[in-house]
Amino acid sequence: NIYGNLSFPQSELDIPMPNNFYALGKYATECIGMGYSDPFFTTVGLRIFLGYGPYEEKKGKLSSIAYQTLISMMKNESPVIYGDGKQTRDFIYVTDIMEAFLASADLDDSLVVNVGTGVATDFNQLIKTFGLIKPSTPTETSPKDNMKTAILE
C-alpha cells in the first residue's frame, strides 16, 4: 500500500511513504486525479486495503493472500509465512469495497478515503481462523460477517 511501513492504524492524514514502484504508481495516479479537481469536478481516491471475496480462483497467483493461504491449508500444505507471522493486514470483503465505491459517488468534495475494516489481523490469526473451517464447505464460512467498512461518512 502507499503507506509503506507506517504503523497501524493508517489514516488519510498520514503522509504516504510508498516503498515500491507499484505503490508509487498508485500514489502518483491519486495525485494526478486530485490535480484535476475543481469546484465543478469532484475526484475521490479510494485507498483499498486487502480485499478478498468470490472468484479468487480465477486470479491465480494474483489472488489475495487470504485465498492463497486457505487453498494451501485445504491441500494440507503449510501456508507460506514470512518471519513470525505477526505482520498485520486489514482484510476487507469485496461487497464492503463495492459499498465504498457506491458511497463515494455521493461525495461533494474531492478527497482520499481509506477503505478497510479498521481491524488488524495477523497471519497467525488468519491461519487459526482458517483452521476452524470445515474443508468440505470452505465458502460457507466467511470472516466478513464480523467486519465493518471504515469509510468517510
Tab-separated table of all heavy atoms in Angstrom, residues 53-91:
chain	number	residue	atom	x	y	z
A	53	GLY	N	-12.678	-12.127	-1.655
A	53	GLY	CA	-14.068	-12.491	-1.932
A	53	GLY	C	-14.171	-13.584	-2.976
A	53	GLY	O	-13.193	-14.245	-3.314
A	54	PRO	N	-15.395	-13.752	-3.515
A	54	PRO	CA	-15.643	-14.809	-4.502
A	54	PRO	C	-14.788	-14.639	-5.756
A	54	PRO	O	-14.347	-13.535	-6.077
A	54	PRO	CB	-17.120	-14.631	-4.853
A	54	PRO	CG	-17.699	-13.786	-3.786
A	54	PRO	CD	-16.582	-12.971	-3.217
A	55	TYR	N	-14.600	-15.745	-6.444
A	55	TYR	CA	-13.891	-15.813	-7.736
A	55	TYR	C	-12.393	-15.554	-7.625
A	55	TYR	O	-11.740	-15.274	-8.617
A	55	TYR	CB	-14.534	-14.879	-8.774
A	55	TYR	CG	-16.003	-15.155	-8.946
A	55	TYR	CD1	-16.946	-14.275	-8.437
A	55	TYR	CD2	-16.436	-16.324	-9.564
A	55	TYR	CE1	-18.304	-14.551	-8.561
A	55	TYR	CE2	-17.795	-16.603	-9.695
A	55	TYR	CZ	-18.719	-15.704	-9.195
A	55	TYR	OH	-20.055	-15.982	-9.321
A	56	GLU	N	-11.854	-15.686	-6.443
A	56	GLU	CA	-10.414	-15.527	-6.256
A	56	GLU	C	-9.643	-16.548	-7.104
A	56	GLU	O	-8.550	-16.255	-7.587
A	56	GLU	CB	-10.026	-15.704	-4.788
A	56	GLU	CG	-10.513	-14.610	-3.888
A	56	GLU	CD	-9.561	-13.432	-3.816
A	56	GLU	OE1	-8.411	-13.535	-4.261
A	56	GLU	OE2	-9.986	-12.399	-3.311
A	57	GLU	N	-10.212	-17.732	-7.275
A	57	GLU	CA	-9.501	-18.787	-8.006
A	57	GLU	C	-9.182	-18.377	-9.442
A	57	GLU	O	-8.219	-18.838	-10.037
A	57	GLU	CB	-10.293	-20.098	-7.983
A	57	GLU	CG	-11.568	-20.102	-8.818
A	57	GLU	CD	-12.786	-19.466	-8.157
A	57	GLU	OE1	-12.678	-18.951	-7.024
A	57	GLU	OE2	-13.856	-19.484	-8.782
A	58	LYS	N	-9.952	-17.476	-9.994
A	58	LYS	CA	-9.735	-17.033	-11.374
A	58	LYS	C	-8.513	-16.113	-11.494
A	58	LYS	O	-8.007	-15.900	-12.585
A	58	LYS	CB	-10.976	-16.334	-11.899
A	58	LYS	CG	-12.183	-17.268	-11.940
A	58	LYS	CD	-13.326	-16.655	-12.672
A	58	LYS	CE	-14.563	-17.516	-12.642
A	58	LYS	NZ	-14.411	-18.885	-13.039
A	59	LYS	N	-8.037	-15.588	-10.380
A	59	LYS	CA	-6.880	-14.677	-10.400
A	59	LYS	C	-5.550	-15.410	-10.338
A	59	LYS	O	-4.498	-14.787	-10.496
A	59	LYS	CB	-6.960	-13.706	-9.223
A	59	LYS	CG	-8.145	-12.783	-9.250
A	59	LYS	CD	-7.971	-11.795	-8.118
A	59	LYS	CE	-9.244	-11.414	-7.462
A	59	LYS	NZ	-8.990	-10.579	-6.280
A	60	GLY	N	-5.589	-16.707	-10.069
A	60	GLY	CA	-4.350	-17.483	-9.993
A	60	GLY	C	-3.405	-16.945	-8.935
A	60	GLY	O	-3.801	-16.698	-7.802
A	61	LYS	N	-2.154	-16.711	-9.324
A	61	LYS	CA	-1.147	-16.235	-8.372
A	61	LYS	C	-1.382	-14.800	-7.937
A	61	LYS	O	-0.727	-14.312	-7.030
A	61	LYS	CB	0.246	-16.388	-8.962
A	61	LYS	CG	0.651	-17.830	-9.124
A	61	LYS	CD	2.076	-17.981	-9.558
A	61	LYS	CE	2.370	-19.465	-9.692
A	61	LYS	NZ	3.764	-19.765	-9.580
A	62	LEU	N	-2.308	-14.098	-8.578
A	62	LEU	CA	-2.626	-12.722	-8.186
A	62	LEU	C	-3.778	-12.667	-7.182
A	62	LEU	O	-4.214	-11.587	-6.794
A	62	LEU	CB	-2.975	-11.882	-9.420
A	62	LEU	CG	-1.852	-11.723	-10.446
A	62	LEU	CD1	-2.337	-10.946	-11.650
A	62	LEU	CD2	-0.649	-11.047	-9.819
A	63	SER	N	-4.273	-13.827	-6.767
A	63	SER	CA	-5.357	-13.850	-5.780
A	63	SER	C	-4.849	-13.340	-4.440
A	63	SER	O	-3.647	-13.255	-4.194
A	63	SER	CB	-5.916	-15.269	-5.637
A	63	SER	OG	-4.910	-16.147	-5.181
A	64	SER	N	-5.783	-13.006	-3.566
A	64	SER	CA	-5.420	-12.436	-2.261
A	64	SER	C	-4.625	-13.437	-1.427
A	64	SER	O	-4.753	-14.647	-1.583
A	64	SER	CB	-6.674	-12.008	-1.494
A	64	SER	OG	-7.378	-13.144	-1.040
A	65	ILE	N	-3.840	-12.909	-0.528
A	65	ILE	CA	-3.046	-13.758	0.358
A	65	ILE	C	-3.963	-14.612	1.241
A	65	ILE	O	-3.633	-15.748	1.576
A	65	ILE	CB	-2.046	-12.930	1.205
A	65	ILE	CG1	-1.060	-13.844	1.940
A	65	ILE	CG2	-2.764	-12.032	2.187
A	65	ILE	CD1	-0.123	-14.576	1.031
A	66	ALA	N	-5.145	-14.098	1.567
A	66	ALA	CA	-6.097	-14.871	2.367
A	66	ALA	C	-6.524	-16.117	1.586
A	66	ALA	O	-6.542	-17.233	2.122
A	66	ALA	CB	-7.311	-14.021	2.726
A	67	TYR	N	-6.844	-15.944	0.305
A	67	TYR	CA	-7.274	-17.075	-0.525
A	67	TYR	C	-6.126	-18.065	-0.705
A	67	TYR	O	-6.320	-19.277	-0.579
A	67	TYR	CB	-7.771	-16.574	-1.880
A	67	TYR	CG	-8.161	-17.691	-2.816
A	67	TYR	CD1	-9.370	-18.358	-2.656
A	67	TYR	CD2	-7.310	-18.089	-3.839
A	67	TYR	CE1	-9.723	-19.392	-3.501
A	67	TYR	CE2	-7.656	-19.125	-4.687
A	67	TYR	CZ	-8.862	-19.775	-4.519
A	67	TYR	OH	-9.203	-20.802	-5.347
A	68	GLN	N	-4.942	-17.562	-0.996
A	68	GLN	CA	-3.794	-18.450	-1.194
A	68	GLN	C	-3.493	-19.265	0.062
A	68	GLN	O	-3.171	-20.456	-0.025
A	68	GLN	CB	-2.569	-17.639	-1.613
A	68	GLN	CG	-2.703	-17.048	-3.004
A	68	GLN	CD	-1.498	-16.216	-3.385
A	68	GLN	OE1	-0.374	-16.535	-3.014
A	68	GLN	NE2	-1.723	-15.154	-4.138
A	69	THR	N	-3.628	-18.631	1.211
A	69	THR	CA	-3.403	-19.335	2.476
A	69	THR	C	-4.448	-20.418	2.682
A	69	THR	O	-4.123	-21.553	3.052
A	69	THR	CB	-3.422	-18.332	3.652
A	69	THR	OG1	-2.399	-17.355	3.448
A	69	THR	CG2	-3.218	-19.029	4.984
A	70	LEU	N	-5.704	-20.093	2.435
A	70	LEU	CA	-6.788	-21.069	2.597
A	70	LEU	C	-6.580	-22.268	1.673
A	70	LEU	O	-6.713	-23.418	2.099
A	70	LEU	CB	-8.138	-20.402	2.325
A	70	LEU	CG	-9.357	-21.320	2.391
A	70	LEU	CD1	-9.523	-21.905	3.789
A	70	LEU	CD2	-10.610	-20.554	1.994
A	71	ILE	N	-6.260	-22.019	0.420
A	71	ILE	CA	-6.065	-23.112	-0.538
A	71	ILE	C	-4.907	-24.013	-0.106
A	71	ILE	O	-5.006	-25.239	-0.166
A	71	ILE	CB	-5.839	-22.565	-1.960
A	71	ILE	CG1	-7.122	-21.893	-2.463
A	71	ILE	CG2	-5.395	-23.655	-2.925
A	71	ILE	CD1	-8.364	-22.785	-2.443
A	72	SER	N	-3.815	-23.413	0.356
A	72	SER	CA	-2.685	-24.219	0.847
A	72	SER	C	-3.131	-25.135	1.973
A	72	SER	O	-2.793	-26.326	1.988
A	72	SER	CB	-1.558	-23.317	1.365
A	72	SER	OG	-0.970	-22.607	0.330
A	73	MET	N	-3.899	-24.583	2.899
A	73	MET	CA	-4.343	-25.371	4.049
A	73	MET	C	-5.311	-26.471	3.622
A	73	MET	O	-5.277	-27.575	4.167
A	73	MET	CB	-4.963	-24.455	5.100
A	73	MET	CG	-3.927	-23.539	5.739
A	73	MET	SD	-4.631	-22.394	6.931
A	73	MET	CE	-5.071	-23.547	8.250
A	74	MET	N	-6.163	-26.192	2.638
A	74	MET	CA	-7.105	-27.208	2.163
A	74	MET	C	-6.380	-28.358	1.462
A	74	MET	O	-6.877	-29.473	1.425
A	74	MET	CB	-8.135	-26.574	1.239
A	74	MET	CG	-9.111	-25.671	1.983
A	74	MET	SD	-10.254	-24.813	0.885
A	74	MET	CE	-11.119	-26.186	0.142
A	75	LYS	N	-5.197	-28.081	0.932
A	75	LYS	CA	-4.380	-29.113	0.284
A	75	LYS	C	-3.445	-29.786	1.286
A	75	LYS	O	-2.553	-30.541	0.904
A	75	LYS	CB	-3.547	-28.497	-0.840
A	75	LYS	CG	-4.359	-27.998	-2.008
A	75	LYS	CD	-3.428	-27.365	-3.044
A	75	LYS	CE	-4.172	-26.859	-4.235
A	75	LYS	NZ	-3.262	-26.195	-5.208
A	76	ASN	N	-3.632	-29.473	2.569
A	76	ASN	CA	-2.770	-29.984	3.639
A	76	ASN	C	-1.315	-29.578	3.449
A	76	ASN	O	-0.400	-30.287	3.854
A	76	ASN	CB	-2.896	-31.508	3.781
A	76	ASN	CG	-4.235	-31.895	4.348
A	76	ASN	OD1	-4.753	-31.222	5.234
A	76	ASN	ND2	-4.805	-32.966	3.823
A	77	GLU	N	-1.101	-28.419	2.826
A	77	GLU	CA	0.237	-27.852	2.681
A	77	GLU	C	0.413	-26.773	3.748
A	77	GLU	O	-0.554	-26.171	4.210
A	77	GLU	CB	0.402	-27.219	1.305
A	77	GLU	CG	0.273	-28.189	0.151
A	77	GLU	CD	0.236	-27.495	-1.200
A	77	GLU	OE1	0.261	-26.247	-1.263
A	77	GLU	OE2	0.179	-28.221	-2.202
A	78	SER	N	1.631	-26.531	4.110
A	78	SER	CA	1.898	-25.445	5.053
A	78	SER	C	1.800	-24.116	4.308
A	78	SER	O	2.437	-23.951	3.266
A	78	SER	CB	3.300	-25.583	5.657
A	78	SER	OG	3.384	-26.736	6.435
A	79	PRO	N	1.006	-23.181	4.822
A	79	PRO	CA	0.940	-21.874	4.167
A	79	PRO	C	2.269	-21.145	4.299
A	79	PRO	O	3.020	-21.372	5.248
A	79	PRO	CB	-0.173	-21.146	4.921
A	79	PRO	CG	-0.325	-21.868	6.204
A	79	PRO	CD	0.161	-23.264	5.997
A	80	VAL	N	2.567	-20.297	3.337
A	80	VAL	CA	3.809	-19.532	3.364
A	80	VAL	C	3.676	-18.392	4.365
A	80	VAL	O	2.759	-17.578	4.273
A	80	VAL	CB	4.143	-18.969	1.961
A	80	VAL	CG1	5.382	-18.086	2.022
A	80	VAL	CG2	4.322	-20.101	0.967
A	81	ILE	N	4.567	-18.368	5.326
A	81	ILE	CA	4.592	-17.311	6.337
A	81	ILE	C	5.997	-16.724	6.342
A	81	ILE	O	6.980	-17.450	6.440
A	81	ILE	CB	4.287	-17.862	7.755
A	81	ILE	CG1	2.903	-18.478	7.805
A	81	ILE	CG2	4.443	-16.775	8.809
A	81	ILE	CD1	1.772	-17.501	7.684
A	82	TYR	N	6.067	-15.422	6.200
A	82	TYR	CA	7.367	-14.752	6.255
A	82	TYR	C	7.575	-14.240	7.677
A	82	TYR	O	6.698	-13.602	8.250
A	82	TYR	CB	7.420	-13.601	5.260
A	82	TYR	CG	7.302	-14.082	3.827
A	82	TYR	CD1	6.093	-14.011	3.150
A	82	TYR	CD2	8.401	-14.634	3.175
A	82	TYR	CE1	5.982	-14.470	1.842
A	82	TYR	CE2	8.295	-15.093	1.872
A	82	TYR	CZ	7.095	-15.015	1.216
A	82	TYR	OH	6.988	-15.473	-0.069
A	83	GLY	N	8.730	-14.547	8.240
A	83	GLY	CA	9.011	-14.101	9.601
A	83	GLY	C	8.192	-14.884	10.613
A	83	GLY	O	7.962	-16.078	10.463
A	84	ASP	N	7.702	-14.175	11.618
A	84	ASP	CA	6.994	-14.826	12.721
A	84	ASP	C	5.478	-14.871	12.542
A	84	ASP	O	4.754	-15.364	13.405
A	84	ASP	CB	7.345	-14.146	14.049
A	84	ASP	CG	6.962	-12.674	14.085
A	84	ASP	OD1	6.295	-12.191	13.145
A	84	ASP	OD2	7.336	-12.009	15.069
A	85	GLY	N	4.949	-14.339	11.435
A	85	GLY	CA	3.509	-14.366	11.182
A	85	GLY	C	2.738	-13.287	11.925
A	85	GLY	O	1.519	-13.261	11.892
A	86	LYS	N	3.442	-12.386	12.582
A	86	LYS	CA	2.766	-11.339	13.350
A	86	LYS	C	2.528	-10.064	12.532
A	86	LYS	O	2.015	-9.086	13.055
A	86	LYS	CB	3.572	-11.009	14.617
A	86	LYS	CG	3.595	-12.164	15.601
A	86	LYS	CD	4.363	-11.810	16.856
A	86	LYS	CE	4.384	-13.000	17.810
A	86	LYS	NZ	5.190	-12.713	19.002
A	87	GLN	N	2.876	-10.099	11.235
A	87	GLN	CA	2.599	-8.957	10.380
A	87	GLN	C	1.083	-8.841	10.223
A	87	GLN	O	0.404	-9.836	10.014
A	87	GLN	CB	3.229	-9.141	8.992
A	87	GLN	CG	4.697	-9.442	8.992
A	87	GLN	CD	5.016	-10.939	9.075
A	87	GLN	OE1	4.290	-11.717	9.663
A	87	GLN	NE2	6.130	-11.326	8.504
A	88	THR	N	0.564	-7.640	10.332
A	88	THR	CA	-0.887	-7.467	10.269
A	88	THR	C	-1.323	-6.861	8.943
A	88	THR	O	-0.571	-6.129	8.295
A	88	THR	CB	-1.394	-6.570	11.416
A	88	THR	OG1	-0.768	-5.299	11.320
A	88	THR	CG2	-1.126	-7.199	12.768
A	89	ARG	N	-2.544	-7.183	8.576
A	89	ARG	CA	-3.189	-6.621	7.394
A	89	ARG	C	-4.638	-6.330	7.762
A	89	ARG	O	-5.200	-6.907	8.679
A	89	ARG	CB	-3.158	-7.597	6.209
A	89	ARG	CG	-1.770	-7.981	5.726
A	89	ARG	CD	-1.033	-6.801	5.122
A	89	ARG	NE	0.280	-7.154	4.616
A	89	ARG	CZ	1.395	-7.125	5.322
A	89	ARG	NH1	1.369	-6.781	6.597
A	89	ARG	NH2	2.553	-7.446	4.776
A	90	ASP	N	-5.224	-5.418	7.005
A	90	ASP	CA	-6.633	-5.072	7.157
A	90	ASP	C	-7.371	-5.738	5.994
A	90	ASP	O	-7.326	-5.270	4.872
A	90	ASP	CB	-6.789	-3.544	7.109
A	90	ASP	CG	-8.205	-3.073	7.391
A	90	ASP	OD1	-9.153	-3.879	7.249
A	90	ASP	OD2	-8.367	-1.900	7.740
A	91	PHE	N	-8.016	-6.870	6.263
A	91	PHE	CA	-8.742	-7.620	5.238
A	91	PHE	C	-10.160	-7.074	5.121
A	91	PHE	O	-10.841	-6.886	6.126
A	91	PHE	CB	-8.801	-9.106	5.601
A	91	PHE	CG	-7.447	-9.774	5.623
A	91	PHE	CD1	-6.749	-9.919	6.805
A	91	PHE	CD2	-6.876	-10.237	4.451
A	91	PHE	CE1	-5.505	-10.528	6.830
A	91	PHE	CE2	-5.629	-10.849	4.458
A	91	PHE	CZ	-4.939	-10.994	5.652
